[in-house]
Amino acid sequence: MNNEARLEAFEKMLSAVQNGYETANEKMIKLKAEGKEKTVTFRQLMDDKMLYKSMLSMYKLYGLADDNEV
């Protein structure tokens, strides 16, 4: 894989992680408004959100994402 292809793959992955984080967060807000914080779905979304946040923090730590991207 050449450098250009690697960069493109990285950018796609970063975008997917950011979108996953935002989607999980939006769904959690909706469920919380409905009083469904103790559901399995809410807990799974929380796990997903924490995973995405951890990944975004690693990108930031290594200078691969700007502060406004995390």
Side-chain angles (χ1 to χ4, degrees):
M1 180 180 280
N2 64 33
N3 285 341
E4 189 174 313
R6 286 183 67 155
L7 178 59
E8 185 178 332
F10 164 78
E11 292 293 340
K12 285 181 181 178
M13 182 177 174
L14 176 58
S15 180
V17 171
Q18 290 169 327
N19 290 336
Y21 178 84
E22 289 301 320
T23 300
N25 191 48
E26 290 167 5
K27 289 179 180 179
M28 286 176 66
I29 289 169
K30 183 180 176 191
L31 288 173
K32 189 172 184 178
E34 296 171 0
K36 297 181 178 179
E37 299 98 333
K38 297 193 185 258
T39 63
V40 172
T41 302
F42 186 89
R43 291 178 186 189
Q44 181 62 53
L45 288 168
M46 183 176 290
D47 289 346
D48 292 348
K49 183 179 170 183
M50 289 172 49
L51 173 66
Y52 291 133
K53 182 65 176 175
S54 176
M55 292 175 74
L56 290 169
S57 294
M58 290 295 289
Y59 287 134
K60 181 180 171 187
L61 178 68
Y62 285 93
L64 298 171
D66 296 330
D67 286 338
N68 61 349
E69 293 179 316
V70 176

